[in-house]
Amino acid sequence: MNKEKLIKQYKAIFHKSPTHIIRAPGRVNLIGEHTDYNDGFVLPIAIDRYTNILISKNDDGKVRLYDLKYNEKDEFDLENIKPSQQKKWSDLQRGIAKVLLDAGYEIGGMDVLIFSEVPEGVGLSSSASIEIATLLSFKELYNLDIKPIEMIKLAKKAENEFVGVQCGIMDQFASLLSKESNALFIDCRTLDFKYIPLSIQSYSFLICNSMVKRKLADSSYNERRKECKDAVKILQKYLPEITSLRDVSINDLEKYKSYLPEELKRRVEHVIYENKRVKQAVEVLKKGNVEAFGKLMYQSHKSLKELYEVSTKELDLLVEIRKDETGVLGARLTGAGFGGCVIYLVKNYSVEHLKEKILDVYSKKTGLVPQFYDIVPSRGAYVEFIK
Ligand code: GLA
């Protein structure tokens, strides 16, 4: 839906004009999975699918929301913010208002129209895009003096504490700070970041939705987090200085892995080598070595499947389909796993052929019709003023 149409809708719903449009993108992670909550490294890009939020101030201390995806409205009072019983979607906005107030920021009411282009529940961070857009909305309307890193931390806090999903910091980071044609290399411990230019003109990233819905809150995501914590606890007996798996070197792993139960050993191995792969990915991308990057993607998938055990047979099938395809350089599940999407790195001329092949093979084998998203590495969240 274009801007003019959205403004028209806004006027019809709120009987006034919006003053700003805030746009915050979804993200896809190129490599570095399940490393963010282990203080490790990640390499996401923002995708050209945005959550659009049209806003204007109100003086009655209420946040009024209308979400075009659900064609539903909701409202809450800033004096008394509780999770919604019926309209779960509005917990994202409620959570953001709550963490801002708790942190001492002075915010007031606003009237909000939401239109998100980010597919929901498939691992492309639709929630993070809504959180970041909502935070930016309050920042703009109430002139909050708040730095990007603080915004990212607060958005994550809202998701962790209010929505109840124990996500790491990558999604909110990518939604706010990504840059067009670049990947975002994040050190999830120090929160330092670097832009890595993607000189991949003759290649594309293609996303394929396995159509197996994943629900982070209900999934084994929190269980994996706990396993990592448990592993750290055991390893601390031998390596007292470590505080997370980020601190465990490959040598340490070799030396002490026999003290870990089999399952935890696999988890730790994934995290340590995945961190290494992210750093290698940055190096090869800097040199423009796209083939090497593709190989790292495959290795990452193998590790997520065999060691971290977050793949599904559908995701594996999508990664395998490419095997005898020329022009496909890499593929892996992306996001938390347990369903959701696969990302391919593919030569431009092979994209359509790959889609046809996937449609044919995947549909026959699973009875599911996969969905494709052609994406380009895009800019992070931004504000547009409406005259
Ligand atoms: C989800 C979380 C992220 C990250 C990934 C796995 O997308 O929201 O913080 O942990 O899973 O890499």
Side-chain angles (χ1 to χ4, degrees), residues 25-44:
R27 67 95 190 92
V28 66
N29 192 15
L30 300 185
I31 196 161
E33 222 65 83
H34 292 276
T35 45
D36 62 351
Y37 55 82
N38 286 303
D39 280 351
F41 306 104
V42 290
L43 192 69

Side-chain angles (χ1 to χ4, degrees), residues 78-251:
L78 290 169
E79 294 277 301
N80 179 23
I81 306 176
K82 293 210 181 80
S84 166
Q85 294 308 317
Q86 291 90 29
K87 308 211 169 123
K88 280 293 170 210
W89 57 266
S90 73
D91 283 352
L92 297 172
Q93 287 88 0
R94 289 164 186 262
I96 292 297
K98 178 93 170 61
V99 293
L100 279 170
L101 288 167
D102 288 351
Y105 290 99
E106 282 178 25
I107 55 171
M110 59 180 182
D111 297 321
V112 186
L113 177 69
I114 306 147
F115 173 65
S116 186
E117 305 155 352
V118 187
E120 203 185 311
V122 301
L124 298 177
S125 292
S126 60
S127 304
S129 72
I130 293 173
E131 287 155 4
I132 289 295
T134 307
L135 237 158
L136 260 183
S137 304
F138 281 120
K139 177 181 188 304
E140 278 304 307
L141 291 181
Y142 291 97
N143 296 316
L144 305 183
D145 181 15
I146 181 169
K147 302 235 153 45
I149 295 292
E150 173 73 359
M151 289 176 65
I152 292 164
K153 284 185 186 164
L154 285 178
K156 172 180 178 286
K157 188 167 188 244
E159 175 104 20
N160 291 165
E161 293 175 7
F162 203 85
V163 183
V165 179
Q166 295 308 312
C167 66
I169 203 149
M170 163 169 67
D171 310 344
Q172 291 80 6
F173 218 118
S175 182
L176 186 61
L177 289 177
S178 290
K179 200 159 105 179
E180 214 175 305
S181 311
N182 281 262
L184 187 61
F185 173 58
I186 311 169
D187 178 332
C188 299
R189 167 172 282 164
T190 61
L191 304 186
D192 289 336
F193 61 97
K194 274 196 194 109
Y195 293 109
I196 310 298
L198 293 167
S199 329
I200 51 163
Q201 287 74 10
S202 43
Y203 300 90
S204 304
F205 290 114
L206 173 70
I207 299 177
C208 178
N209 179 356
S210 67
M211 303 307 279
V212 179
K213 267 240 173 191
R214 46 167 278 287
K215 265 203 179 155
L216 219 50
D218 306 340
S219 71
S220 315
Y221 183 84
N222 290 351
E223 191 185 305
R224 290 289 178 281
R225 287 193 71 134
K226 186 174 172 298
E227 288 168 349
C228 292
K229 260 195 176 163
D230 292 347
V232 170
K233 250 190 222 148
I234 297 175
L235 291 170
Q236 273 170 338
K237 285 189 211 146
Y238 314 95
L239 300 161
E241 68 287 358
I242 66 165
T243 56
S244 69
L245 291 183
R246 152 76 173 272
D247 303 316
V248 183
S249 67
I250 293 174
N251 276 344

Side-chain angles (χ1 to χ4, degrees), residues 61-87:
K62 284 192 173 145
V63 176
R64 295 198 186 83
L65 304 162
Y66 195 101
D67 192 319
L68 286 172
K69 191 182 290 168
Y70 308 103
N71 261 319
E72 267 186 4
K73 58 179 179 218
D74 194 21
E75 68 172 53
F76 62 90
D77 205 313
L78 290 169
E79 294 277 301
N80 179 23
I81 306 176
K82 293 210 181 80
S84 166
Q85 294 308 317
Q86 291 90 29
K87 308 211 169 123

